[in-house]
Amino acid sequence: MMQLPQHHKPGKPSAPSSCSSWIRRSPPPSPPHKKAAGGGRGRYACRLVPLLVLTVYSVFTVVRIPSSSLVVTTSDSERVERREDLEALKTHLPSNQNGLEAREETRSVASLPCSAFINGEAGHGEDGVLCCDRTHYRSDVCYLRGDARTDPSTSSVFLYGAPRGSSPEKVRPYTRKFEDSIMGTIDEVTVVPVPGPFNASSGMRRRCDVRHPRGVPAVVFSTGGYTGNVYHEFSDGLIPLFITAQRFAGEVVFVVLEYHYWWVGRYGAVLERLTNYKIVDFRYDRRVHCFDEMIVGLRIHGELVVDPKLMPNGKSIKDFQALLHQGYSRTPSSSSQPPVPLPLAPPSRPCPDHARAAKPKLVIFIRKKNRVLLNLPHVVTACRRAGFAPHVMNLRRQTPLPAIHAALASADAMVAVHGAAVTHFLFMRPGSVLLQIVPVGLDWAADAFYGKPAQQLGLGYLEYKVAPEESSLAAEYGLNSTVVRNPWVISNRGWWEMKKVYMDRQNVTVNVKRFGELLKAARGHLKNATKAACQRHHRGGAAEVERR
């Protein structure tokens, strides 16, 4: 039963008999003309004891602050320990602006995007960096900085002094990660972080058999997958390698998985302009190679393209083409000079004030197994009637690249049925014309793989779209069949089904009259391109005269 409080009668206050009553409630003051003999001192003692306790506790707390973490309460149910706040307390920062400045000064390496390290925009002079950029649908790329050592026996790279909390990263360094079937054939590299400084308890580091110079990184990539197809060799390999490695100006080592001697021989003229060092065969070179920086994987922008907006130095596909020209032009001084983008229009189109121009050169690439141009003689005749000088090239795998480059760098136009050989348009000068014959069902692939990239290179691009009756599929399936009239039905079944029907089983017979109309359009483009080139030439000559 709850007790009711007792009320004292007025005029008869009861004096407190203990300190506990003072803590609960202060008594009324004594009359000024009376002094209690012992009760007053007791009351003052009761008041001083709690104050003394609080004072001692405060002093003890302040003394302990430098040796402990400062605890900051962020909510009623959450308490976060932060040593950084102690430093902020010592600086006595009075405003939010100063607080922002302090946070910017202590910004950690971990807060930077991995792409900043891969592009060379961050990480200079800092060790113990391990990150992976897996945001692109085409490739995964990892970046290591510190003491990186290869271990071919386990297909691994060890990073000693890695950031604490780092986990092993697995990478297949090939640029078609969206295609599971082919990525399953690519060797996997495991990046193994070993955190903390070296000491006896952390184990012995692998002894360096080859210590590469400081400041010379490694770029690790695979030449497996679709390597062997010239389109993929450029789109999946060489151009991504240029995008990733050209910023090092040759001071970079290439570490190659699934190393092919023929690949190095075929593209050696390009590789030696991207690296000043011998290529390392990751699988069969059993030595431990040590680097202070490493990139595992290649960056890629798209199909046969270098996007200047994504390059730290604004390089474009024209700079890659200049490197090809320097490598395959066979000029004695080319290796000692930096690549220079090709001039507009080939030498076969001189300006009007020079000697009379010869007929523009047109190169026709032919195929033998599929997508064969069945009426090739009629096509050659149509080219002559349109005013071209046609040259037929039957490309084989063993055809030397310098020979192909020589044919196309001096050509005004190129004609080819859609296929890997169209990739060689990269050897053509800006202002030239690519005329692609597009079989039934291959419209999207022809434009995405070759049409748009050719235009970005500065070429005039024309398409001859094969009509249903011009395709061999009409005889096989019927002119009104779904295969011929609605190719999208087959394409929706997947790339391999589309390839089996439209790429592997189709040949074409073009309508010569309709094809002749495109040849006339090509001549018109060349005429305009030559005029523009001559105007630039004259302006450049006039400016040179004025300078003199």
Side-chain angles (χ1 to χ4, degrees):
M1 188 173 179
M2 184 173 65
Q3 296 181 354
L4 296 176
Q6 296 179 0
H7 296 275
H8 300 283
K9 293 181 180 180
K12 294 184 179 180
S14 59
S17 60
S18 68
C19 290
S20 59
S21 63
W22 177 86
I23 294 174
R24 284 199 306 272
R25 182 181 56 197
S26 297
S30 299
H33 58 276
K34 285 187 178 180
K35 286 186 180 181
R41 285 194 298 270
R43 284 197 302 272
Y44 287 122
C46 289
R47 294 182 182 182
L48 288 176
V49 168
L51 292 176
L52 182 60
V53 171
L54 291 174
T55 302
V56 171
Y57 177 77
S58 299
V59 171
F60 178 74
T61 302
V62 171
V63 170
R64 288 191 59 193
I65 283 179
S67 61
S68 64
S69 299
L70 186 65
V71 179
V72 180
T73 303
T74 56
S75 67
D76 292 339
S77 61
E78 181 182 7
R79 304 181 72 191
V80 183
E81 291 187 357
R82 295 183 58 190
R83 290 186 181 273
E84 295 85 353
D85 289 315
L86 178 59
E87 300 302 320
L89 181 64
K90 291 179 181 179
T91 58
H92 304 286
L93 299 177
S95 67
N96 291 334
Q97 180 179 359
N98 288 333
L100 292 174
E101 290 174 356
R103 283 194 293 271
E104 289 175 0
E105 291 173 359
T106 59
R107 185 182 183 188
S108 65
V109 173
S111 67
L112 297 172
C114 194
S115 59
F117 296 99
I118 298 168
N119 295 341
E121 299 165 352
H124 302 290
E126 296 175 358
D127 288 341
V129 179
L130 171 58
C131 64
C132 292
D133 184 357
R134 302 182 186 273
T135 60
H136 200 280
Y137 79 101
R138 287 290 299 265
S139 66
D140 293 331
V141 185
C142 290
Y143 178 87
L144 297 73
R145 188 170 183 88
D147 186 356
R149 308 191 181 195
T150 63
D151 182 12
S153 63
T154 60
S155 190
S156 301
V157 175
F158 286 82
L159 179 64
Y160 295 94
R164 294 194 177 277
S166 301
S167 301
E169 300 282 358
K170 294 183 179 296
V171 187
R172 298 185 189 272
Y174 190 64
T175 57
R176 297 188 75 82
K177 93 173 181 183
F178 62 92
E179 195 169 339
D180 294 338
S181 59
I182 200 64
M183 291 301 288
T185 69
I186 302 298
D187 288 351
E188 187 176 66
V189 176
T190 302
V191 180
V192 182
V194 182
F198 173 73
N199 52 57
S201 62
S202 64
M204 295 298 294
R205 300 191 185 194
R206 285 159 175 75
R207 179 178 59 85
C208 291
D209 297 313
V210 182
R211 166 66 72 179
H212 294 272
R214 187 164 183 83
V216 178
V219 172
V220 182
F221 62 96
S222 173
T223 56
Y226 289 122
T227 301
N229 176 293
V230 66
Y231 169 79
H232 291 287
E233 288 166 6
F234 277 90
S235 184
D236 300 340
L238 291 175
I239 293 179
L241 182 60
F242 173 82
I243 291 171
T244 306
Q246 60 81 34
R247 70 179 178 88
F248 298 112
E251 289 302 298
V252 60
V253 176
F254 294 155
V255 179
V256 179
L257 283 76
E258 300 172 75
Y259 182 100
H260 301 291
Y261 286 100
W262 65 261
W263 180 83
V264 175
R266 185 171 179 81
Y267 297 110
V270 178
L271 299 173
E272 67 184 17
R273 282 160 177 79
L274 289 174
T275 177
N276 300 328
Y277 301 87
K278 185 178 179 180
I279 294 175
V280 176
D281 183 345
F282 189 85
R283 179 185 293 175
Y284 291 107
D285 188 339
R286 313 307 293 179
R287 297 174 298 175
V288 174
H289 291 260
C290 300
F291 301 89
D292 65 352
E293 186 178 10
M294 183 178 287
I295 297 173
V296 184
L298 299 177
R299 296 169 58 233
I300 185 171
H301 296 163
E303 308 294 342
L304 296 177
V305 65
V306 179
D307 188 343
K309 297 188 295 296
L310 300 178
M311 296 292 286
N313 49 17
K315 298 290 185 180
S316 71
I317 189 65
K318 293 183 179 179
D319 295 284
F320 175 75
Q321 185 197 48
L323 184 142
L324 295 177
H325 181 69
Q326 184 190 56
Y328 294 120
S329 62
R330 294 176 172 174
T331 56
S333 61
S334 62
S335 60
S336 60
Q337 298 176 353
V340 178
L342 299 183
L344 187 69
S348 60
R349 282 182 272 145
C351 295
D353 55 347
H354 293 123
R356 183 177 178 181
K359 289 184 177 181
K361 178 181 175 181
L362 183 146
V363 176
I364 303 174
F365 282 171
I366 61 173
R367 300 176 60 90
K368 288 294 187 180
K369 294 183 178 180
N370 47 42
R371 282 161 281 154
V372 177
L373 190 55
L374 297 176
N375 60 337
L376 175 63
H378 296 90
V379 170
V380 172
T381 300
C383 292
R384 288 199 183 101
R385 289 177 178 173
F388 286 98
H391 297 257
V392 177
M393 289 196 70
N394 181 15
L395 295 185
R396 295 179 173 86
R397 186 65 194 172
Q398 61 269 28
T399 303
L401 280 180
I404 303 174
H405 176 271
L408 289 177
S410 61
D412 300 276
M414 169 183 166
V415 172
V417 180
H418 173 77
V422 183
T423 308
H424 293 109
F425 77 80
L426 290 167
F427 293 158
M428 301 181 71
R429 295 172 180 268
S432 303
V433 174
L434 170 61
L435 199 164
Q436 183 176 198
I437 298 173
V438 184
V440 170
L442 299 178
D443 293 17
W444 174 84
D447 183 57
F449 296 166
Y450 303 115
K452 286 185 171 63
Q455 291 172 303
Q456 291 177 349
L457 188 58
L459 272 61
Y461 177 67
L462 298 171
E463 279 187 353
Y464 180 89
K465 294 188 177 182
V466 172
E469 61 273 12
E470 297 171 357
S471 170
S472 62
L473 297 176
E476 182 175 357
Y477 293 95
L479 184 60
N480 294 317
S481 65
T482 299
V483 169
V484 175
R485 294 294 179 179
N486 299 303
W488 59 269
V489 175
I490 307 300
S491 299
N492 285 345
R493 298 176 185 174
W495 169 261
W496 292 108
E497 190 67 22
M498 184 273 290
K499 179 180 181 297
K500 181 175 67 176
V501 175
Y502 297 109
M503 300 186 74
D504 297 344
R505 302 177 64 173
Q506 182 174 193
N507 297 317
V508 298
T509 303
V510 303
N511 182 302
V512 175
K513 183 178 180 181
R514 187 159 67 92
F515 187 74
E517 295 299 321
L518 277 182
L519 292 173
K520 291 180 182 178
R523 284 299 306 271
H525 175 85
L526 294 174
K527 182 178 179 180
N528 293 334
T530 302
K531 183 178 179 180
C534 291
Q535 289 175 347
R536 292 185 183 181
H537 174 75
H538 289 311
R539 286 198 298 267
E544 181 65 23
V545 170
E546 290 181 2
R547 283 196 297 269
R548 293 179 180 176

Short mmCIF file of all heavy atoms in Angstrom, two decimals, residues 73 127 226 246 251 322 411 446 546:
data_model
loop_
_atom_site.label_atom_id
_atom_site.label_comp_id
_atom_site.label_asym_id
_atom_site.label_seq_id
_atom_site.Cartn_x
_atom_site.Cartn_y
_atom_site.Cartn_z
N THR A 73 28.95 9.72 -29.24
CA THR A 73 27.62 9.14 -29.34
C THR A 73 26.90 9.74 -30.53
O THR A 73 26.67 10.94 -30.60
CB THR A 73 26.81 9.44 -28.06
OG1 THR A 73 27.53 8.90 -26.95
CG2 THR A 73 25.43 8.81 -28.15
N ASP A 127 52.62 2.93 -51.78
CA ASP A 127 52.67 1.49 -51.82
C ASP A 127 51.49 0.91 -51.05
O ASP A 127 50.78 1.61 -50.33
CB ASP A 127 53.98 0.98 -51.22
CG ASP A 127 55.17 1.28 -52.14
OD1 ASP A 127 54.93 1.51 -53.34
OD2 ASP A 127 56.31 1.28 -51.65
N TYR A 226 39.67 -15.89 -78.63
CA TYR A 226 39.46 -15.89 -80.08
C TYR A 226 40.71 -15.48 -80.86
O TYR A 226 40.63 -15.21 -82.05
CB TYR A 226 38.32 -14.93 -80.44
CG TYR A 226 36.96 -15.42 -80.03
CD1 TYR A 226 36.16 -14.66 -79.18
CD2 TYR A 226 36.46 -16.63 -80.47
CE1 TYR A 226 34.90 -15.09 -78.80
CE2 TYR A 226 35.20 -17.07 -80.11
CZ TYR A 226 34.42 -16.30 -79.27
OH TYR A 226 33.17 -16.73 -78.90
N GLN A 246 49.75 2.49 -73.49
CA GLN A 246 50.46 3.53 -74.24
C GLN A 246 50.91 4.69 -73.35
O GLN A 246 51.89 5.36 -73.66
CB GLN A 246 49.61 4.03 -75.41
CG GLN A 246 48.27 4.64 -75.02
CD GLN A 246 48.37 6.08 -74.57
OE1 GLN A 246 49.20 6.83 -75.08
NE2 GLN A 246 47.52 6.47 -73.64
N GLU A 251 57.91 2.20 -71.25
CA GLU A 251 58.49 1.75 -69.99
C GLU A 251 57.48 0.88 -69.25
O GLU A 251 56.94 1.23 -68.19
CB GLU A 251 58.91 2.96 -69.15
CG GLU A 251 60.12 3.69 -69.70
CD GLU A 251 61.33 2.77 -69.82
OE1 GLU A 251 61.78 2.26 -68.79
OE2 GLU A 251 61.81 2.56 -70.95
N ALA A 322 48.30 5.40 -86.40
CA ALA A 322 49.64 5.95 -86.65
C ALA A 322 50.71 4.98 -86.18
O ALA A 322 51.77 4.82 -86.82
CB ALA A 322 49.79 7.30 -85.96
N ALA A 411 45.72 2.83 -101.01
CA ALA A 411 44.45 2.66 -101.71
C ALA A 411 43.51 3.82 -101.43
O ALA A 411 43.60 4.49 -100.40
CB ALA A 411 43.80 1.35 -101.29
N ALA A 446 27.51 -5.80 -89.12
CA ALA A 446 28.31 -5.05 -90.09
C ALA A 446 28.48 -3.60 -89.65
O ALA A 446 29.58 -3.03 -89.74
CB ALA A 446 27.64 -5.11 -91.47
N GLU A 546 54.27 32.89 -95.05
CA GLU A 546 54.16 34.07 -94.18
C GLU A 546 55.16 34.00 -93.03
O GLU A 546 55.73 35.02 -92.63
CB GLU A 546 52.73 34.17 -93.64
CG GLU A 546 51.70 34.55 -94.70
CD GLU A 546 50.31 34.66 -94.11
OE1 GLU A 546 50.19 34.47 -92.88
OE2 GLU A 546 49.36 34.93 -94.86
#
